[in-house]
């Protein structure tokens, strides 16, 4: 399978031979066959799934067409918490070669498992990810996703090695060393969270190093939302092409979907991950093109099949074909989750909207935080944003200009005015992985 992905003569990824380029009819056949197999496996081996199907008087034989998936119950994050640590495993521990865990915000983590076959599928979808971001053998990839229980580091590692690229497994953190390695090892591509990359750029400048003078040409970013405005900032600051990749631990880790050279939506590797978009309130499946919650079914996972998993990520399927020629479906970039909505004076606000507004204004830096408080029963939002040293050290006038532009930009996007606090560079804590953009003090 992997050999089919690699074509030395073509200098890299060979779209026509990849399984996700199967003609639609053939792809649907593969999806149905795999769906039936995964449903049977979960029914036979996972009690929670079997009980839920029995309650609905369903059996694996009820799945006769792809549309029949809509009869199956959803899975949610609490299912993983309630069965902590191993309750959803469909393989004996002797067949499981890897465990990862995701910490989440409260209490116990969720644990996910992989058989050898699962690890191979993961390497394959990550190979496709890197290939569609333009990487090939000969590239030197600095992998600054965290290695450890987080899926980012090892997920990216195996994919890049399988592609034939040279991987530097530096993991997250130790930023000065990252910059030295990037320069001295001739790094051509780097992957990490977008927020960590903005810190790398900043720290490089402090060390009198400019990423624009280095051979790095591609950045592969994911694991947290980042706006198009953030992408523009990143691409300009480092003179790279910045790609968005998406995934989640419950499904496999990174490698569920990836942008291609068109940078216009993420292709879902739908021979392994079957996407649906639902109305988050009614649970009804929505037609392609409509925005809703992304639900994913793993079609080939052995150790921990996950069926109709409600990701909470909001997106839509893009019905039009992609200019890159790949026939697999795309989703819009994920700007928000259904659970990160803030209700402010009756208006729904998402942190990503605030980011887009902030970064559209000159004089701001890509470091900000949203602080939520509750006063007399009403939610209040304060946006803290760093401004450039020039703005900060200038007379009050420059600050006031930026403040008024920011207030207008935010009001234009979310419809209301918020409290703004302009702070000096380096006042907001830098993250080495996922940035903490929202500080919720409403319960304090
Ligand atoms: O973040 C896996 C990953 C690693 C993806 C490296 C990409 C790169 P979790 O820690 O389980 O897994 O977090 C998954 O992060 O449900 C989204 O809400 C968010 N997320 C991941 N990628 C993106 C992205 C990894 N490109 C959760 N854009 C998901 C927006 C993203 N949000």
């Amino acid at each position: 399978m992997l050999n089919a992905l690699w074509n030395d003569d073509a200098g890299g990824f060979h779209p026509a031979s990849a399984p996700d380029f199967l003609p639609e009819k053939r792809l649907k056949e593969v999806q149905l066959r795999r769906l039936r197999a995964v449903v049977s496996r979960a029914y036979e081996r996972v009690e929670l799934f079997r009980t839920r199907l029995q309650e609905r008087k369903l059996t694996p034989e009820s799945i006769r067409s792809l549309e029949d998936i809509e009869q199956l119950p959803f899975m949610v994050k609490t299912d993983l918490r309630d069965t902590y640590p191993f309750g959803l495993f469909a393989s004996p521990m002797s067949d499981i070669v890897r465990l990862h865990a995701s910490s989440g915000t409260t209490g116990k983590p969720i644990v996910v498992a992989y058989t050898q076959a699962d690890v191979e599928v993961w390497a394959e979808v990550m190979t496709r990810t890197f290939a569609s971001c333009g990487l090939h053998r000969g590239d030197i990839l600095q992998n600054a996703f965290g290695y450890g229980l987080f899926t980012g580091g090892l997920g990216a590692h195996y994919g890049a090695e399988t592609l034939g690229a040279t991987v530097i497994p530096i993991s997250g953190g130790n930023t000065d060393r990252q910059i030295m390695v990037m320069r001295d090892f001739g790094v051509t591509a780097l992957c990490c969270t977008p927020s960590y990359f903005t810190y790398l750029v900043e720290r490089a400048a402090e060390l009198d190093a400019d990423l624009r003078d280095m051979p790095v040409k591609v950045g592969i970013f994911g694991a947290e939302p980042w706006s198009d405005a953030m992408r523009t900032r990143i691409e300009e600051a480092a003179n790279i092409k910045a790609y968005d990749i998406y995934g989640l631990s419950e499904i496999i880790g990174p490698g569920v979907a990836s942008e291609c050279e068109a940078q216009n939506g993420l292709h879902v590797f739908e021979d392994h991950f079957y996407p649906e978009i639902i109305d988050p309130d009614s649970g009804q499946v929505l037609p392609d093109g409509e925005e809703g919650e992304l639900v994913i079914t793993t079609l080939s996972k052995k150790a921990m099949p996950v069926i109709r998993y409600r990701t909470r990520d909001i997106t839509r399927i893009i019905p039009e074909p992609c200019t890159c020629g790949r026939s697999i479906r795309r989703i819009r970039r994920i700007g928000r989750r259904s659970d990160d909505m803030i209700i402010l004076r009756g208006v729904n606000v998402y942190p990503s909207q605030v980011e887009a507004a902030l970064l559209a204004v000159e004089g701001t830096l890509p470091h900000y935080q949203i602080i939520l408080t509750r006063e007399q029963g009403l939610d209040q939002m304060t946006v803290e944003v760093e401004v450039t040293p020039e703005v900060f050290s200038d007379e009050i006038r420059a600050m006031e200009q930026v403040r008024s532009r920011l207030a207008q930009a935010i009001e234009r996007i979310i419809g209301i005015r918020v409290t703004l606090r302009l702070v000096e560079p380096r006042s907001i804590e830098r993250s080495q992985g996922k940035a903490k953009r929202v500080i919720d003090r409403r319960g304090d």
Side-chain angles (χ1 to χ4, degrees), residues 102 145 150-152 221-226 244-250 253-254 311 313 334 337 434:
S102 155
F145 280 126
F150 177 53
T151 53
F221 304 113
E224 62 184 4
W226 52 304
D244 189 19
I245 67 170
Y246 168 78
L248 60 165
S249 322
E250 295 90 317
T311 64
D313 294 320
I334 288 157
R337 290 174 56 81
K434 298 181 192 242

Side-chain angles (χ1 to χ4, degrees), residues 198-410:
T198 60
Y199 177 41
L200 273 177
V201 172
E202 174 184 69
R203 184 68 191 140
E206 288 170 359
L207 298 172
D208 274 334
D210 190 337
L211 268 58
R212 286 172 294 199
D213 300 333
M214 298 186 194
V216 60
K217 283 287 158 284
V218 175
I220 296 148
F221 304 113
E224 62 184 4
W226 52 304
S227 59
D228 283 332
M230 179 73 91
R231 170 157 31 210
T232 307
R233 294 255 178 143
I234 286 176
E235 290 191 329
E236 285 173 4
N239 192 21
I240 57 169
K241 223 171 151 177
Y243 292 96
D244 189 19
I245 67 170
Y246 168 78
L248 60 165
S249 322
E250 295 90 317
I251 298 302
I252 199 156
V256 173
S258 166
E259 278 189 336
C260 62
E261 64 268 25
Q263 291 175 302
N264 181 17
L266 290 86
H267 291 280
V268 181
F269 299 116
E270 55 176 329
D271 51 334
H272 294 293
F273 312 112
Y274 187 80
E276 298 170 272
I277 302 289
I278 63 161
D279 176 326
D281 298 322
S282 70
Q284 284 300 311
V285 175
L286 298 173
D288 284 3
E290 279 189 35
E291 187 176 85
E293 180 179 343
L294 177 65
V295 168
I296 305 178
T297 298
T298 62
L299 294 177
S300 52
K301 275 277 274 312
K302 297 278 188 255
M304 207 179 107
V306 174
I307 290 161
R308 299 201 90 200
Y309 186 69
R310 291 188 61 158
T311 64
R312 305 262 161 210
D313 294 320
I314 305 292
T315 182
R316 62 188 179 82
I317 287 177
I318 305 173
E320 303 81 36
C322 184
T323 50
C324 76
R326 290 174 177 85
S327 55
I328 47 177
R329 287 185 292 174
R330 283 173 300 157
I331 50 170
R332 274 261 154 266
R333 296 183 67 198
I334 288 157
R336 59 193 176 93
R337 290 174 56 81
S338 59
D339 47 14
D340 66 14
M341 186 176 82
I342 303 156
I343 303 178
L344 207 63
R345 281 168 258 148
V347 176
N348 300 345
V349 181
Y350 290 94
S352 53
Q353 296 175 304
V354 175
E355 177 178 302
L358 294 179
L359 300 191
V361 174
E362 223 177 292
T364 58
L365 295 172
H367 306 286
Y368 67 93
Q369 236 166 18
I370 296 168
I371 300 145
L372 299 177
T373 49
R374 184 162 290 154
E375 281 153 41
Q376 287 154 358
L378 288 181
D379 287 353
Q380 304 290 339
M381 182 163 110
T382 304
V383 178
E384 220 170 65
V385 59
E386 290 184 11
V387 290
T388 59
E390 296 75 47
V391 170
F392 197 80
S393 59
D394 198 11
E395 337 135 32
I396 315 260
R397 213 158 39 116
M399 287 276 266
E400 277 319 310
Q401 260 176 12
V402 172
R403 184 196 305 281
S404 118
R405 285 195 195 124
L406 281 173
Q408 281 170 22
I410 294 181

